[in-house]
């Protein structure tokens, strides 16, 4: 629990930051008639713990101008942090260790 809080605090200090959608998220966006052919650029604008049931969650905004008002709340396991920024790399590894990336909690809320 303490590790999660520390990770959330570290992620919040980096906000906003870029991410890419994983396949399940891209499928969800496609079902909302959002063009995902060129893997939309996502901006993480908030990170929080939604408890045992949902785990680490984030609020994302689509960087595409045509979807400027599209904001979604998704599990951290449905995004891949942009590791090209040196300050994000260690955070991405920490998120992965906590099960925030690659898990199976694929619920999306708008």
């Amino acid at each position: 629990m303490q590790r999660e809080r520390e990770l959330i605090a570290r992620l919040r200090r980096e906000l906003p930051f870029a991410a890419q959608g994983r396949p399940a998220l891209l499928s969800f966006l496609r079902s909302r008639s959002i063009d995902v052919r060129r893997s939309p650029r996502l901006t993480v604008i908030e990170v929080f713990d939604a408890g045992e049931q949902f785990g680490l969650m984030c609020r994302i905004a689509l960087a595409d101008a045509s979807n400027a008002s599209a904001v979604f709340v998704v599990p951290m396991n449905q995004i891949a942090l942009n590791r090209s920024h040196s300050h994000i790399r260690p955070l991405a590894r920490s998120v992965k260790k906590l099960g925030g990336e690659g898990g199976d909690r694929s619920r999306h809320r708008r």
Side-chain angles (χ1 to χ4, degrees), residues 61-96:
L62 297 178
D64 179 6
S66 67
N67 297 309
S69 63
V71 175
F72 298 91
V73 174
V74 300
M76 288 289 292
N77 67 0
Q78 295 303 315
I79 64 167
L81 302 182
N82 186 339
R83 295 172 187 238
S84 64
H85 301 290
S86 60
H87 58 283
I88 292 292
R89 256 181 247 130
L91 297 176
R93 285 191 293 268
S94 296
V95 167
K96 191 170 188 171

Side-chain angles (χ1 to χ4, degrees), residues 12-80:
R12 284 180 176 164
R13 283 193 292 273
E14 301 299 331
L15 291 173
F17 55 84
Q20 291 83 38
R22 295 191 179 276
L25 176 59
L26 296 177
S27 178
F28 168 78
L29 294 173
R30 193 176 302 111
S31 75
R32 298 287 189 257
S33 300
I34 295 172
D35 183 11
V36 296
R37 286 178 292 197
R38 284 185 250 147
S39 190
R41 291 180 305 141
L42 310 174
T43 301
V44 178
I45 56 177
E46 183 181 358
V47 177
F48 59 95
D49 185 354
E52 283 289 317
Q53 186 175 7
F54 295 106
L56 293 178
M57 303 285 287
C58 61
R59 186 176 314 271
I60 59 169
L62 297 178
D64 179 6
S66 67
N67 297 309
S69 63
V71 175
F72 298 91
V73 174
V74 300
M76 288 289 292
N77 67 0
Q78 295 303 315
I79 64 167

